[in-house]
Amino acid sequence: MLRARRRTWGTRAHRRTLVAVLAALAVVVPVGWMWADSLVPARYSVEDMGTPDFGGGPAGMPDHAGTAGMAGMGGTSVDQLREPPGPADVDVTLVARAGRVTLASGRVIDGFTLNGVTPGPEIRAVQGQMVQVRLVNENVTQGVTLHWHGYDVPSGDDGVAGVTQDAVPVGGSFVYRFRAGQAGTFWYHSHQVADPQVQGGLFGALVVTPPGGLGATGDVLALTHVYQGRRTVDGREGDVPAPGAPGTRVRVRVVNTDNGPVQAWVGGAPYRLVAIDGHDVNAPAPTTDSLSITAGARADLEVDLPADGAGVRVELGGASAVTFGRPLPPTPRPAGELDPLRYGTPAALPFDPDAADRRFDYDIGRRIGFLDGTPGLWWTVNGHLWPDVPMYVVREGDVVRMHIDNQSGELHPMHLHGHHAVVLARDGVPATGSPWWVDSLDAQTGHSYDIAFVADNPGLWMDHCHNLAHPAEGLMAHLMYEGVTTPYRVGGDAHNDPE
Ligand code: C2O
Ligand code: CU
């Protein structure tokens, strides 16, 4: 009896323990599973990432379990999507180097150079020319690549480590080739360990001029970058005088290579915003408004310099300015803000966005979870943490619409590689100005954007936030053309790490 009682009592204690253990397991097992599920292999193909999203278009394969099946379907490798070797009109060699650098301002930083300078050499081409750039890695131990930001190069020349090539190791080289099909202002930067390498100076400008040049208009490059907390223009701080005779017109090509937007305005004269992200604005009117330039974006501002030589300042972030004419003290930021959704004059689009073949959602949020085993508050895409993000699948020729909705609490400058998209609407309000073409678009928190583009550049393309700290925190997806594969792997022996 006693034994039985004891056994009963013992059983109760056991039950309590069991309940406690089960309760603990109920927490630990799912958390452990989530942790284990978040782990990313040391070497993986981006083709296998996430969930294929066909956007209502035809599915490229019978099972939706993964896109890897496409490789087995005998697809086209990104290596085949390259400009073939041959003569080049513009032929440049860029040698990447890590170490101490003296900026044009005289300030010494620890960073990166191309041919001994940062920003790297400006690459200039005339529309229609063949451009060839040989990248040599002198001593950057993590490896380097060059990505042609905003330029619709062939996929195999896109310069993304682990997606379109292996990172170039110390002593190695890689030759990029592309036809300069589009005139405008662009830039290039490393896409290997991109956040520290770009912040540290591994970038430069790419300018393509129309065959007739700019005529009588002066052409001034203003690449702005924050090196270790200091805003610079072409490596200089404060006022940077530029050439421009009184009474002439100048085009100032502002390139924002930072992780955040820069506010630009012009003191001393009105300006016209003549191009955004390398696309001409249709019939832009003179304005005095302040302009927010997205991280990674470019804005070409045209100013008629006063005939009497009075000063003009193109203010960048209120800390630096490109100056013309007689000295003019810094000017305050105007209250008005230029809204590209309503700026310029409407014009017909080269395609019909209402006849879309695919419609995608790119919803950006944030939640607690594990990112590759690390607990934290991470970005989500369509509710999921990286790498469980959508793989947007298209076919060549598709008209694609994408609805970007940012409810994450922070700003995200979204950048799609290899394509230019037109912004159709913001918060459902349609655009009423010039067609607003972008490759880099600030998605403000609490706002949504409808964009559209034609899938006319087969490949495997990143579609990510250009606050480069964020893709490293999981805000990154890809656009994949059905049947395109990559032989490259993130991680692995080349230590490919595109973010
Ligand atoms: Cu300017 Cu994916 O980059
Ligand atoms: Cu972001």
Side-chain angles (χ1 to χ4, degrees):
M1 203 55 208
L2 191 66
R3 280 175 73 112
R5 271 179 68 108
R6 262 204 193 133
R7 202 179 292 131
T8 308
W9 188 87
T11 303
R12 246 182 230 148
H14 270 133
R15 265 198 206 124
R16 266 192 220 126
T17 309
L18 191 63
V19 167
V21 165
L22 284 176
L25 284 177
V27 174
V28 169
V29 168
V31 170
W33 182 84
M34 283 191 293
W35 172 82
D37 191 47
S38 80
L39 295 176
V40 176
R43 179 179 183 276
Y44 68 92
S45 170
V46 294
E47 290 168 47
D48 300 330
M49 266 179 64
T51 316
D53 182 343
F54 300 101
M61 61 271 177
D63 81 288
H64 293 203
T67 45
M70 286 181 173
M73 289 170 70
T76 306
S77 162
V78 289
D79 272 345
Q80 296 166 266
L81 299 168
R82 297 207 60 190
E83 199 60 60
D89 305 297
V90 175
D91 198 343
V92 184
T93 296
L94 296 178
V95 180
R97 179 162 217 303
R100 282 176 93 66
V101 192
T102 305
L103 300 175
S105 63
R107 198 172 294 281
V108 178
I109 63 158
D110 262 320
F112 301 93
T113 54
L114 289 157
N115 296 359
V117 288
T118 176
E122 176 186 344
I123 298 175
R124 277 227 171 211
V126 177
Q127 195 175 11
Q129 286 185 324
M130 181 60 69
V131 179
Q132 176 168 302
V133 179
R134 182 181 161 83
L135 169 66
V136 177
N137 181 359
E138 187 177 313
N139 71 343
V140 184
T141 50
Q142 297 162 313
V144 290
T145 67
L146 290 181
H147 164 61
W148 308 94
H149 185 116
Y151 222 68
D152 301 342
V153 301
S155 187
D157 290 282
D158 196 41
V160 181
V163 181
T164 66
Q165 68 172 98
D166 280 331
V168 178
V170 173
S173 66
F174 190 94
V175 178
Y176 300 92
R177 286 171 60 82
F178 54 89
R179 177 77 58 190
Q182 193 185 351
T185 311
F186 304 88
W187 64 299
Y188 60 87
H189 62 78
S190 181
H191 225 308
Q192 161 74 351
V193 205
D195 190 24
Q197 290 196 1
V198 175
Q199 284 198 51
L202 237 170
F203 57 78
L206 166 68
V207 174
V208 180
T209 51
L214 297 185
T217 302
D219 193 336
V220 173
L221 178 69
L223 188 155
T224 183
H225 188 73
V226 173
Y227 291 95
Q228 297 180 351
R230 303 261 178 176
R231 178 160 301 283
T232 61
V233 178
D234 305 321
R236 298 185 158 77
E237 292 173 24
D239 287 3
V240 179
T248 62
R249 175 171 287 182
V250 289
R251 174 183 288 229
V252 180
R253 303 174 183 270
V254 183
V255 183
N256 180 7
T257 59
D258 287 326
N259 273 350
V262 65
Q263 307 306 317
W265 65 92
V266 178
Y271 71 97
R272 293 181 309 135
L273 172 59
V274 293
I276 300 172
D277 286 0
H279 265 267
D280 287 350
V281 173
N282 186 45
T287 178
T288 54
D289 284 347
S290 174
L291 173 69
S292 182
I293 306 174
T294 305
R298 288 83 57 215
D300 293 17
L301 314 181
E302 258 183 25
V303 186
D304 291 326
L305 300 175
D308 63 0
V312 167
R313 301 172 58 88
V314 177
E315 308 272 7
L316 296 168
S320 269
V322 180
T323 64
F324 300 91
R326 285 195 296 274
L328 182 71
T331 54
R333 182 176 164 191
E337 273 220 36
L338 189 148
D339 183 358
L341 198 72
R342 293 181 298 210
Y343 181 73
T345 310
L349 294 176
F351 66 95
D352 180 5
D354 291 328
D357 301 289
R358 316 256 177 179
R359 287 170 191 265
F360 296 118
D361 286 318
Y362 200 130
D363 289 348
I364 306 164
R366 201 173 197 188
R367 72 171 159 83
I368 289 169
F370 292 100
L371 186 80
D372 198 9
T374 308
L377 183 59
W378 303 113
W379 311 113
T380 59
V381 180
N382 294 352
H384 296 277
L385 293 170
W386 185 90
D388 192 16
V389 292
M391 172 62 87
Y392 302 109
V393 183
V394 296
R395 280 185 186 168
E396 189 174 1
D398 282 350
V399 170
V400 184
R401 282 180 76 125
M402 189 174 270
H403 181 74
I404 302 170
D405 191 356
N406 177 9
Q407 302 296 337
S408 72
E410 276 192 38
L411 171 71
H412 300 294
M414 299 308 293
H415 171 53
L416 169 63
H417 286 209
H419 300 77
H420 277 79
V422 67
V423 182
L424 302 172
R426 181 179 58 224
D427 297 325
V429 178
T432 53
S434 161
W436 176 16
W437 293 95
V438 292
D439 55 63
S440 309
L441 174 68
D442 262 338
Q444 310 274 349
T445 188
H447 294 276
S448 72
Y449 303 79
D450 289 288
I451 66 171
F453 61 91
V454 178
D456 56 4
N457 197 3
L460 191 44
W461 305 99
M462 287 186 94
D463 188 356
H464 65 95
C465 175
H466 220 281
N467 178 341
L468 294 173
H470 292 174
E473 298 165 359
L475 189 39
M476 190 238 318
H478 290 83
L479 175 77
M480 173 197 243
Y481 282 64
E482 195 184 291
V484 173
T485 64
T486 179
Y488 302 103
R489 299 291 179 263
V490 178
D493 293 340
H495 302 287
N496 293 319
D497 180 3
E499 291 82 46

